[in-house]
Each structure stands twice: as C-alpha cells, then as structure tokens.
Amino acid sequence: MAPTTASFDQVGYWSPNTASVDWCENNYVVSYYIAEFWNTISSLFIVALGELGLYLCPTKEKRFKVAFRTISVVGIGSTLFHGTLRHKMQLLDELPMIYAATALLFICTESKYGPQGRWFPVSLATWLALTTIFVSITGGKVQFYTFQASFGILQLAIIFLTTTLHQRQKSIIKTWNTPSTASAWLIKRALGVYAFAVTIWLIDLHLCEFVNGVGPNSVLKWNPQFHAWWHVFSISGVYFTTLLVTFQHYVEKGLKPKVYLWKGFAPALTLESNLKKVN
C-alpha cells in the first residue's frame, strides 16, 4: 500500500480518499482530476479486453456473453475507483470482480457435474447478495480482507474445477481425428500469466516503500506502476480462463472447439472447422 508521505498525500479533485486501500502510485501527480493516473488508464485495457472477448465469442449462449461482459464491467468500476479513490467507487470495482468470478464458477460447475437445478443459481445469488451487503457496509481492513478472501476462494474453486475437468477430458480429446493441445495451452497461459500478476500485486501491496521511486527507502528511482501492470496481466489471465471454460463446456457438449489467433495476436475459439459461430 502507499506510504503516508507528502508525495502520496497530495490533494486532488476527489480528496479526501475514502477507499479502504491506496495503491502504490503517487496520487494526483499527472492530473488534478485523476487520483491514480496509470492505474486508471490501465483499467481501460480491462474494458477493451472484455469487449473484444464478447465480440469474438463463438456462441450466443447467455452465460458466455455474461462472462465476457462482466470483464468490461470490472474495467469500468476499476476506472472509477482508481480515478477517485472513493469508497463507493471501490465497491464498483470489487463487487463486479466477485460477480465475474461467480459466473465462471457457475459455468465450470455445470460443465463438470452437469446441470444442478434451480437450487444452484439461487444459492449463488443468495451468497452474492450477502457478500454484497457485507462488503458494502464494512470498511477498512475488514472490508479489504473480506473481499480478498471471497475473491480468493472463488479463484481457487475455478482452478480446481478447470484442472480436474482438463484431466477428465484428455481421453475425449485423444479420440479426435486431430487431437488438440488447446486445453493444456490455455491452462498454462492462464495460470502462468495470473501467477505473475499476483506476484507483482503482492509487491505493490506489501513492498511499496521499496519500489515507489520517491520514498527514502525506495531502491528504485522511478515507480514501475506494478498495480497498473497487475491490471494488464491479471485480466489477460482471466481472458485465457474464460476461453478455457468455454472450450471445456463445448467439449462436454460433444463439439470440437479450436483455438486460433484473431488478427494474428488475440486468442479466440471456433466451434466448427469453417469458423461459423454456433448458437
């Protein structure tokens, strides 16, 4: 977190800060109207990647439309939060992250175990409602760590479901005329990119005084903006994960999804060899 120094306590349009966390970027340095400039700008990448995923989505199934659109919503909330460092804007950043992860959990669970009936979405909705209320009415470390715990549990559950489903589907994929390595490719990139993102997030959170570029204990002469890079790499990991969840869902449906690079750089899925979209 940001240290309490004059360099970080500059007054801006949205002052005073009311969020439960202040990241390791000098506040109001680039613009009087934007609290954390680089964290705000990098949040727009989240919006763009969510919309790209929605555009390239190979199916019209609502669950996948929701999964990609929630990425965009996270980006919008993140932009508002880092631009203002206000508590209400923080909720617009953090709560959509929980909603997005829950959407992936729902898809993963039904892909692995089959349709669960009405009780499952009702249970998830109830849990989301209670989490939303608790995170909204608390503040400080209680709010911060409650959110982190909730989000972390969802992430671990998704990792468990996707990796175990990958092991189960290996035998299915081997029967294809052209066996695919796409699932393993997506898993490696999702976990690798996200692990790197978490590493720099932890550095930004716990070692800010050593990397902020301005404090007396900083070993760097400039701030590498680790939290801004967290936005870029973490959402790339989420994008890979969403592709993986989609891939596994349609393997269970008896289709043969494939990964291709849209415009030569953006990973995307096709569900038919002629690249036609499937409803």
Side-chain angles (χ1 to χ4, degrees):
M1 296 185 189
T4 304
T5 66
S7 300
F8 282 86
D9 287 342
Q10 296 188 59
V11 175
Y13 182 81
W14 302 101
S15 296
N17 301 342
T18 59
S20 64
V21 61
D22 186 359
W23 300 101
C24 193
E25 179 179 350
N26 305 32
N27 298 339
Y28 297 107
V29 170
V30 177
S31 171
Y32 174 78
Y33 298 98
I34 302 177
E36 295 177 336
F37 181 82
W38 296 111
N39 288 346
T40 301
I41 294 301
S42 62
S43 296
L44 298 177
F45 177 77
I46 302 175
V47 180
L49 197 57
E51 291 305 300
L52 178 64
L54 187 63
Y55 174 74
L56 297 176
C57 186
T59 172
K60 293 181 180 179
E61 273 198 72
K62 289 184 178 180
R63 63 182 65 194
F64 298 107
K65 297 292 185 181
V66 169
F68 282 112
R69 179 48 57 79
T70 52
I71 293 177
S72 301
V73 174
V74 169
I76 294 171
S78 181
T79 301
L80 295 172
F81 166 48
H82 290 291
T84 65
L85 289 180
R86 305 293 294 179
H87 176 67
K88 290 182 179 180
M89 298 301 121
Q90 182 181 2
L91 296 178
L92 294 180
D93 173 30
E94 293 177 345
L95 290 175
M97 292 173 66
I98 293 178
Y99 303 156
T102 302
L104 290 181
L105 178 66
F106 173 81
I107 300 171
C108 289
T109 301
E110 292 215 328
S111 294
K112 182 173 174 61
Y113 300 109
Q116 297 299 296
R118 177 173 290 185
W119 73 268
F120 186 50
V122 170
S123 298
L124 289 179
T126 302
W127 178 78
L128 285 177
L130 294 174
T131 303
T132 298
I133 294 171
F134 189 80
V135 170
S136 299
I137 64 176
T138 56
K141 291 184 178 181
V142 173
Q143 188 274 339
F144 180 75
Y145 288 112
T146 297
F147 161 72
Q148 295 299 335
S150 300
F151 189 58
I153 291 171
L154 288 168
Q155 290 175 304
L156 292 174
I158 292 169
I159 291 172
F160 169 77
L161 290 169
T162 53
T163 53
T164 54
L165 190 55
H166 168 68
Q167 294 299 320
R168 189 176 81 184
Q169 291 181 345
K170 279 185 177 180
S171 58
I172 299 175
I173 295 174
K174 285 181 180 179
T175 64
W176 296 357
N177 293 331
T178 306
S180 173
T181 59
S183 182
W185 187 87
L186 289 170
I187 286 177
K188 289 178 181 178
R189 276 149 186 80
L191 291 178
V193 171
Y194 202 81
F196 176 74
V198 170
T199 299
I200 60 176
W201 181 84
L202 289 171
I203 293 173
D204 185 87
L205 180 66
H206 296 293
L207 301 177
C208 180
E209 64 176 311
F210 302 110
V211 297
N212 59 54
V214 295
N217 296 325
S218 180
V219 298
L220 302 178
K221 294 183 178 181
W222 49 275
N223 191 330
Q225 308 299 344
F226 281 136
H227 195 79
W229 287 110
W230 147 261
H231 288 162
V232 174
F233 288 104
S234 66
I235 208 61
S236 297
V238 171
Y239 181 84
F240 280 119
T241 302
T242 306
L243 291 181
L244 172 65
V245 169
T246 308
F247 181 96
Q248 293 179 332
H249 174 81
Y250 284 107
V251 170
E252 292 297 309
K253 293 282 188 178
L255 298 177
K256 299 179 181 179
K258 295 181 181 179
V259 175
Y260 71 98
L261 295 179
W262 179 76
K263 301 296 184 182
F265 77 93
L269 292 181
T270 176
L271 303 181
E272 292 184 350
S273 59
N274 60 4
L275 301 186
K276 291 182 179 179
K277 291 188 176 182
V278 175
N279 292 336

